[in-house]
Amino acid sequence: MKILLLVLGLLLGTVDGGKTTERPPLPLEKPAGSGVIVHHDGYVLTAHHVVANAKRITIVTPGEFRAPAVLVSVDVEHDLALLKVETVGLSEAPLGYAGEVKLDQEVIAVGFQFGLRETTITRGHVVAVRTRGVQRVFQVDAAVNPGNSGGAIFNRQGEVVGILTTKFTHPSGIVPEGMAFAVPISYATPLLANIPDFDFSAIGKTRKESKKGKGHGDPVLEMARTSVRIETIRMSEPPAVQSQSAALRSGQPSVPRAPASVARPNEGAGEEAIDRVNAQLQADQQEAMKRLLDQGLTPLPGMMLIPAGEFLMGMEDGLPDARPLHRLYLSAYWIDQLGVTNGQYRVCVDGGSCLPPKVRVAFDDPQLEQRPVTDVTWMQARTYCQWAGKRLPTEAEWEKAARGTDGRRYSWGNSDEVIQKSRATLTDGKASANGVEPVGMPLSARSPYGVSGMIGLVSEWVKDWYAEDFYRASPTRDPQGPLRGTFRVLRGGSWMERPLELRAGYRGWDEMTYWGPTLGFRCATDAP
Amino acid sequence: MRRRLPRMLACLLIGGGLTAIPPTVGFEQSGRSSLPFHTVLELEQTARLLAVLLDSGRAVINDNQMVLEGSQGKGLTPEAFERQLVDMFRGRAGIDLHELDDTVLAPRTKRLLRALVETSRQVIADLRRDLQPQDAGFTGFIPAVFGARVSARFTDHTGVRLKQTSLTPRNPANRPDAYERGALEAFADSAYPRETVISEMTADSASFRLMFPLYATRHCLDCHGEPKGVVDRMGYPREGLVLGQNAGAISVLLPVKP
């Protein structure tokens, strides 16, 4: 698409009689698309893919005013971006109310097709509203070409009601000719909120004003005045996520930040480095505890405090659903030091608040009172935690508690030895019937925060719905998982799982009504 | 992935062949629609909630397969079914069907949701009534059969068409049309985001269309899982699905005019 644009742009530019030669020869900026001025202080709305991965962005108004732009905010999901150029007093386009856009209504698409200098104005109708995944668009039958992307569609009052996007696939898999998709302008609201004093109350009010006789004359001229051309110089590197992981793999020393261990993953780091991080994390934890005590708050019995801060979640070398390795910030929370035991669960059952496990053999064996409760469904796990005045941990909370901040492979570090040794103990004959094994978890298998049994005992239910693509769009603060789902996430596992499934970043999942002899849980709660 | 206890019993997907959905003549009327976008959004919400509710009913039947089998279909009372359905729907849609009046949903949405709960309950009540004492063991009442019976009855009562469909349906009545096929192919792509719908409202149609993806559960796999091609107890060759794989969709056709 980019290449096509360039070729077409150059080709047509030449035919045009060399008008494009006015451009500075180096570095070469390429026409990328269109945009619309939404605020006179230099704010321009466009499609995200127009400016994605751009090293430099330039805005060119119809009057050939040319200025560098910075990216203020983006919404990749809806393919929207807000740019700003340092200027004041531009003509701005009024915004319309997307909710009032009717099927079959006439709309006008304005843009710079093929990156040409002349504005193209085409008419069409809204022929459909389509939803696909997180995207929802107007389908418009106006003639639209490469270069229109990011440009606005206007209603008859001259109000912007949508932004043209190419990041939408028609159900048939092909985009029929003479058909385009536009993101309803309402989805730009979060972006527009970045403009100081943006007047949201003016949205959809143009009609009244123009009747009062401001007399701008031709609304189509107004549309053309507020539409801009966007040119970019693109980075040759792949997008940010990949370049980050490339840097991680090469193991270059990174910019020191606090805590220093967060800067790059400790995958492959030796024991010495792991020990250093452990010492740092324990110091952080003790400091956070001290602050709580100073505030007159008491520690929660049987729970460990995980201080607020960043950590690395996911794995680059794991299954696709654990990619990418990404940095998250979590607020402080408490998490059970051990999984909920048969004995603890019995108190809830006896009190009538919890239903007994679906299979009672282990539950009814007095010998196993101290072992993790198993054969419970996700619902039962949640009910128990609520009864205990707590909640299930989120997937991110589970992973941070299990793994610390440095992206290591297991709770204890990167060595597989602990697994081998523990398996050997199991097959020594000490193993119980159902894989829920000795509470005698080796101390060395504890997480850097002192949380025990996260890897090696049972798989634990966490709060989140499962979606294999969630990490790719995860919020970077306290993610709560997808809004909907069919399966719930399970984390951790018994020593008998394959080593891949024992990694702290491994994501299991199952039906929330399922239970089994290796399925347990632990609870968490917010820290003040 | 974590496939542990292989459990007995039947499945969700499109099967059964016990009830065919009546032909849907008369939905597509001529004349152009000029609905505003906010009304389209309302229709989408209604269609999505209906699909979630039908799938919640299927999930309750899925969870109760053992009960249904052990009791010749008598083990699940309509009351117990409704309670579980309401619980399931609350968990999946965040809406309490007992407190619909306190929600901001459109009146028609509330009416249709209530009607679908009632239809689902009736199907369970009729199942208990119609079963003969000598019918022992597997009754063939699986989620797909439940879904087909509820859909047929719901369409008769409300004019809203619900249909379970897949690219390779067992029941020929569930074959996808062109629109459904496009959406099913999108769902089948492993890169497609989970649990998200595909929908359309076109200016030249009198109904809103929505496709809601379904995923294979453990019970499904008893008939639709591995080994691929080997005949299951219903007499169909297995499809070779794996746990969590897309296994078709619920198609909703919601007329714009009630």
Side-chain angles (χ1 to χ4, degrees):
Chain A
M1 162 82 177
K2 198 168 72 186
I3 296 164
L4 177 76
L5 264 181
L6 172 67
V7 171
L8 278 171
L10 288 178
L11 190 70
L12 293 165
T14 329
V15 174
D16 236 21
K19 276 181 195 168
T20 46
T21 52
E22 286 166 22
R23 270 188 223 132
L26 273 173
L28 185 64
E29 300 201 309
K30 299 165 189 171
S34 307
V36 61
I37 301 165
V38 290
H39 191 275
H40 52 78
D41 285 345
Y43 289 93
V44 170
L45 197 58
T46 183
H48 171 253
H49 75 270
V50 169
V51 292
N53 203 21
K55 198 153 55 176
R56 187 184 301 171
I57 307 169
T58 305
I59 301 273
V60 191
T61 68
E64 287 298 307
F65 166 71
R66 179 180 264 282
V70 293
L71 204 52
V72 177
S73 181
V74 297
D75 178 347
V76 182
E77 263 187 6
H78 293 110
D79 192 26
L80 291 170
L82 183 68
L83 309 175
K84 173 155 173 52
V85 290
E86 282 311 319
T87 184
V88 289
L90 295 178
S91 308
E92 63 185 28
L95 301 191
Y97 174 48
E100 289 294 336
V101 173
K102 293 190 172 69
L103 283 172
D104 225 16
Q105 164 184 325
E106 188 183 58
V107 287
I108 297 143
V110 182
F112 296 82
Q113 299 191 351
F114 307 117
L116 295 177
R117 291 174 47 173
E118 291 75 22
T119 320
T120 329
I121 296 164
T122 51
R123 284 170 196 275
H125 296 85
V126 176
V127 293
V129 174
R130 291 189 185 281
T131 301
R132 182 191 163 106
V134 288
Q135 298 169 291
R136 190 174 287 120
V137 294
F138 297 132
Q139 181 178 325
V140 175
D141 64 356
V144 159
N145 284 297
N148 264 117
S149 265
I153 57 166
F154 295 85
N155 60 17
R156 268 196 217 188
Q157 287 75 44
E159 296 170 333
V160 179
V161 292
I163 299 292
L164 289 165
T165 177
T166 53
K167 294 280 165 183
F168 187 87
T169 323
H170 189 273
S172 65
I174 44 166
V175 178
E177 277 184 50
M179 196 172 276
F181 300 107
V183 184
I185 192 67
S186 45
Y187 293 120
T189 306
L191 268 61
L192 298 173
N194 288 300
I195 304 175
D197 309 322
F198 187 83
D199 185 8
F200 284 98
S201 67
I203 288 176
K205 299 275 174 63
T206 312
R207 204 173 322 185
K208 290 167 203 160
E209 269 183 32
S210 59
K211 282 221 171 113
K212 276 180 203 160
K214 250 181 156 180
H216 277 313
D218 191 354
V220 174
L221 268 181
E222 278 301 303
M223 292 176 206
R225 272 160 56 95
T226 54
S227 293
V228 298
R229 192 165 86 225
I230 294 174
E231 299 181 350
T232 59
I233 298 175
R234 307 232 177 205
M235 281 184 262
S236 45
E237 275 94 32
V241 174
Q242 285 174 34
S243 62
Q244 181 202 6
S245 61
L248 295 173
R249 264 196 301 278
S250 68
Q252 294 154 352
S254 42
V255 189
R257 37 190 306 167
S261 52
V262 174
R264 67 192 165 95
N266 250 338
E267 274 271 0
E271 277 171 35
E272 212 174 288
I274 295 289
D275 288 346
R276 238 182 357 253
V277 175
N278 287 357
Q280 175 69 48
L281 294 182
Q282 278 148 21
D284 289 350
Q285 191 180 26
Q286 277 159 17
E287 198 181 309
M289 280 288 278
K290 192 168 166 296
R291 270 200 304 275
L292 276 188
L293 294 172
D294 289 348
Q295 290 169 27
L297 298 159
T298 45
L300 299 176
M303 299 187 88
M304 301 304 281
L305 177 68
I306 313 294
E310 291 187 333
F311 83 109
L312 289 172
M313 187 173 188
M315 306 183 281
E316 277 304 322
D317 57 349
L319 295 172
D321 67 351
R323 283 180 218 149
L325 182 77
H326 57 296
R327 192 186 303 271
L328 290 180
Y329 177 91
L330 297 188
S331 309
Y333 59 98
W334 295 90
I335 191 159
D336 286 346
Q337 196 201 356
L338 299 160
V340 173
T341 63
N342 282 315
Q344 289 169 326
Y345 194 78
R346 179 169 292 284
V347 181
C348 182
V349 173
D350 290 348
S353 302
C354 292
L355 291 171
K358 298 284 185 178
V359 177
R360 299 188 57 139
V361 184
F363 180 64
D364 288 335
D365 185 345
Q367 302 269 317
L368 299 178
E369 200 172 271
Q370 297 304 313
R371 306 282 158 79
V373 64
T374 57
D375 290 301
V376 286
T377 65
W378 183 87
M379 298 280 207
Q380 286 178 312
R382 188 184 60 171
T383 306
Y384 175 87
C385 289
Q386 282 172 350
W387 169 82
K390 305 175 188 175
R391 58 176 173 78
L392 284 172
T394 66
E395 184 173 13
E397 286 171 343
W398 192 97
E399 187 162 326
K400 186 179 178 186
R403 192 181 191 190
T405 56
D406 57 354
R408 62 183 65 179
R409 195 172 291 171
Y410 306 108
S411 294
W412 53 86
N414 296 313
S415 140
D416 293 341
E417 242 172 80
V418 179
I419 301 176
Q420 308 306 341
K421 277 191 202 153
S422 307
R423 280 198 184 156
T425 334
L426 282 184
T427 44
D428 259 358
K430 289 193 213 156
S432 77
N434 53 18
V436 178
E437 228 344 63
V439 173
M441 284 282 297
L443 269 179
S444 56
R446 281 191 170 188
S447 93
Y449 291 115
V451 185
S452 197
M454 299 197 89
I455 292 169
L457 283 181
V458 291
S459 297
E460 299 182 346
W461 290 113
V462 296
K463 177 198 149 290
D464 306 33
W465 290 111
Y466 173 77
E468 63 258 72
D469 55 352
F470 182 69
Y471 285 8
R472 272 170 259 156
S474 166
T476 52
R477 271 188 89 91
D478 296 320
Q480 300 294 311
L483 286 177
R484 285 190 290 280
T486 315
F487 303 95
R488 295 284 184 177
V489 175
L490 280 164
R491 298 308 291 276
S494 88
W495 292 125
M496 300 321 287
E497 309 274 359
R498 292 178 299 151
L500 173 73
E501 299 184 7
L502 285 173
R503 294 195 187 177
Y506 176 79
R507 310 176 69 206
W509 46 272
D510 219 309
E511 290 163 53
M512 56 198 278
T513 51
Y514 183 62
W515 67 88
T518 58
L519 264 56
F521 66 100
R522 70 179 70 216
C523 306
T525 190
D526 297 337
Chain B
M1 254 194 197
R2 310 187 180 275
R3 234 170 293 165
R4 288 181 178 94
L5 296 182
R7 272 192 267 158
M8 306 239 313
L9 254 274
C11 159
L12 281 196
L13 192 45
I14 316 308
L18 295 181
T19 337
I21 288 175
T24 53
V25 185
F27 280 117
E28 301 285 347
Q29 290 145 8
S30 60
R32 293 185 74 80
S33 164
S34 62
L35 289 181
F37 182 49
H38 61 79
T39 309
V40 176
L41 293 184
E42 218 169 81
L43 289 169
E44 181 180 318
Q45 184 186 41
T46 308
R48 189 173 60 75
L49 290 177
L50 289 174
V52 172
L53 185 54
L54 181 66
D55 190 39
S56 300
R58 288 162 46 94
V60 171
I61 300 303
N62 179 57
D63 293 345
N64 283 283
Q65 277 301 307
M66 309 274 250
V67 176
L68 287 165
E69 193 150 335
S71 61
Q72 291 88 54
K74 301 267 182 194
L76 186 62
T77 65
E79 294 70 33
F81 167 80
E82 187 175 333
R83 198 170 53 243
Q84 293 178 40
L85 177 66
V86 168
D87 271 356
M88 182 74 73
F89 188 71
R90 193 191 300 115
R92 294 182 58 175
I95 292 173
D96 192 331
L97 291 165
H98 291 315
E99 288 165 13
L100 271 184
D101 287 333
D102 299 337
T103 64
V104 291
L105 298 175
R108 186 184 179 208
T109 313
K110 294 180 192 175
R111 192 164 50 75
L112 287 172
L113 287 174
R114 286 201 179 97
L116 187 52
V117 172
E118 182 51 27
T119 309
S120 306
R121 212 183 61 86
Q122 278 172 10
V123 165
I124 300 298
D126 291 355
L127 173 74
R128 281 163 65 82
R129 196 196 57 214
D130 296 343
L131 278 171
Q132 302 304 316
Q134 64 269 24
D135 296 342
F138 182 56
T139 57
F141 193 74
I142 56 173
V145 172
F146 165 84
R149 289 191 194 173
V150 171
S151 304
R153 222 182 270 200
F154 188 68
T155 306
D156 286 348
H157 290 173
T158 63
V160 178
R161 195 191 72 184
L162 299 175
K163 170 183 169 188
Q164 306 166 98
T165 183
S166 91
L167 289 170
T168 52
R170 291 184 170 192
N171 179 350
N174 291 336
R175 259 199 306 264
D177 63 20
Y179 177 75
E180 290 165 342
R181 178 169 295 278
L184 286 167
E185 280 166 359
F187 294 151
D189 179 352
S190 61
Y192 184 81
R194 281 188 91 81
E195 323 283 350
T196 50
V197 301
I198 288 180
S199 76
E200 79 167 14
M201 177 71 229
T202 62
D204 53 12
S205 160
S207 19
F208 180 88
R209 300 205 65 163
L210 177 133
M211 292 288 284
F212 180 89
L214 301 175
Y215 300 91
T217 69
R218 199 167 272 95
H219 279 310
C220 289
L221 300 178
D222 292 332
C223 294
H224 298 275
E226 299 282 357
K228 191 173 178 173
V230 173
V231 170
D232 71 3
R233 64 163 147 186
M234 306 279 283
Y236 293 96
R238 288 184 168 83
E239 284 86 349
L241 293 177
V242 296
L243 189 62
Q245 189 182 343
N246 173 250
I250 292 174
S251 170
V252 184
L253 213 134
L254 178 64
V256 171
K257 298 217 171 68

